[in-house]
Amino acid sequence: MEVLRGLGTQPKTLSPKYFYDAKGSELFDRITQLDEYYLTRTEMSLFDAHMKDIARHLGENVCLIEYGSGSSVKIRKLLEAVTPAAYVPVDISDEHLQENAKALHADFPNLSVLPVCADFTQLFALPDAVADMTKVGFFPGSSIGNFDPPGAEQFLQNVHATVGHGGAMLIGVDRKKSVAVLEQAYNDAQGVTAAFNLNSLVHINKELNANFDVGQFSHVARYNEDLGCIQMFLQSEVDQHVEIGGATIRFAKAECLHTENSYKYHPEEFLELAAGAGFAEVTHWSDPQDWFTLYLLQGN
Ligand code: AVI
């Protein structure tokens, strides 16, 4: 079992996918509205300030491919400004896709929505109907930061294989900045990020019949200067053991279970990664503080 494999390594790890059950998705929505979590707000401000310019660069009759399903305000803003010939949301959850496609259909009755149920970190086939359209990948929110750099490059290579030569990618990337600002974003005063992190244990208790004592773990998030990423952990408050899938896992007091990395990129670092995947920069949009950048990349 994947979870047991991660708990058997040193340091122990847990895939960030365990954040996202219904409760975790609700907590993530709350994170995006926190004062400290500047990422979503800043990216939205870029859409608001530059949408006309973004739409002009993307051109007409494009096929917009969203990596992850489009419930967010961002895709709606983009769909209003760009009016693509087709919109292809790609998500692993069919239920999510169907719900969002229905909601979008209500608001954009003329939009051709062609959902693809797939793990977007792997290669997937596009619907035949979009074969002749210019393809534009859309990956907002700095979700690229949750891959390690080689994983991010591999993902961008897959996007390149999907959008092809002359295709494009619009991607939001969080930038390196003061450690205090970064660490605050993942250690909010209300404890929403802590609840989000701890919820992965609640999720595993339910899904895998485990018995994590959630009250005996605490949230830790700190910036790793060497790696250039925020790292999140769940730290054991005491010596304890947990039963999971017939196995017993021991935690020493203060031992950390690693749950997430969130990489931050200087523009030159990100563009080097993109170049390795066959993409060149067309243009970018940044906020006045240079905290977050939206890049428009074109496939070589
Ligand atoms: C989804 N992803 C871009 C978020 C991030 O900032 O890495 C997930 C997150 N983890 C804690 N807060 C938000």
Side-chain angles (χ1 to χ4, degrees):
M1 190 206 305
E2 186 201 354
V3 170
L4 279 181
R5 264 202 308 279
L7 293 176
T9 61
Q10 221 26 269
K12 295 183 172 67
T13 60
L14 193 60
S15 162
K17 73 179 182 202
Y18 290 101
F19 293 142
Y20 299 99
D21 60 357
K23 179 73 188 167
S25 301
E26 187 192 312
L27 286 165
F28 181 67
D29 279 348
R30 284 181 56 200
I31 288 175
T32 64
Q33 289 157 31
L34 292 167
D35 283 348
E36 295 94 331
Y37 196 76
Y38 59 85
L39 288 81
T40 313
R41 183 177 65 248
T42 310
E43 190 180 47
M44 279 304 293
S45 75
L46 297 177
F47 278 108
D48 287 338
H50 304 291
M51 192 47 99
K52 274 207 180 121
D53 198 28
I54 295 170
R56 186 177 59 78
H57 271 95
L58 295 187
E60 287 176 352
N61 288 320
V62 296
C63 163
L64 206 54
I65 304 163
E66 186 175 21
Y67 290 81
S69 187
S71 61
S72 81
V73 188
K74 292 169 213 162
I75 189 65
R76 287 169 175 268
K77 287 195 184 249
L78 199 56
L79 290 172
E80 269 166 27
V82 175
T83 30
Y87 166 60
V88 179
V90 186
D91 200 283
I92 197 140
S93 157
D94 198 37
E95 195 185 327
H96 223 118
L97 277 171
Q98 298 312 329
E99 264 172 33
N100 289 329
K102 215 167 127 189
L104 278 177
H105 183 68
D107 296 336
F108 300 88
N110 298 322
L111 178 68
S112 164
V113 182
L114 304 168
V116 170
C117 185
D119 172 359
F120 67 66
T121 65
Q122 308 297 317
L123 280 171
F124 56 86
L126 287 174
D128 291 343
V130 307
D132 296 331
M133 299 175 192
T134 301
K135 287 144 198 100
V136 180
F138 180 50
F139 198 41
S142 201
S143 293
I144 191 76
N146 298 130
F147 294 99
D148 61 12
E153 191 168 325
Q154 179 60 58
F155 169 72
L156 292 174
Q157 272 171 19
N158 289 351
V159 174
H160 188 278
T162 303
V163 301
H165 167 75
M169 166 130 215
L170 183 63
I171 181 166
V173 182
D174 195 20
R175 293 172 65 147
K176 289 198 166 107
K177 59 183 66 63
S178 114
V179 173
V181 171
L182 286 169
E183 290 192 340
Q184 255 180 39
Y186 294 82
N187 287 288
D188 63 280
Q190 288 177 55
V192 184
T193 310
F196 173 72
N197 197 6
L198 287 160
N199 181 63
S200 53
L201 300 183
V202 180
H203 185 189
I204 284 174
N205 279 349
K206 276 194 218 139
E207 195 158 294
L208 300 172
N209 204 14
N211 67 350
F212 278 101
D213 185 348
V214 179
Q216 299 289 15
F217 287 86
S218 54
H219 165 74
V220 174
R222 55 176 176 254
Y223 187 64
N224 182 323
E225 292 263 10
D226 295 334
L227 296 177
C229 66
I230 285 282
Q231 297 195 297
M232 293 214 311
F233 304 91
L234 290 166
Q235 185 169 33
S236 180
E237 293 286 326
V238 290
D239 283 326
Q240 55 181 318
H241 60 266
V242 175
E243 306 292 330
I244 171 165
T248 302
I249 310 292
R250 292 185 190 284
F251 285 89
K253 182 174 176 176
E255 185 177 352
C256 282
L257 166 59
H258 180 216
T259 50
E260 185 180 54
N261 286 333
S262 190
Y263 282 82
K264 313 298 171 188
Y265 291 100
H266 286 307
E268 56 279 15
E269 292 172 332
F270 177 68
L271 290 172
E272 194 183 320
L273 202 79
F279 281 110
E281 180 184 15
V282 176
T283 187
H284 67 261
W285 299 271
S286 295
D287 58 294
Q289 301 187 93
D290 278 341
W291 278 5
F292 196 98
T293 300
L294 255 182
Y295 294 92
L296 180 62
L297 309 173
Q298 188 157 42
N300 300 319

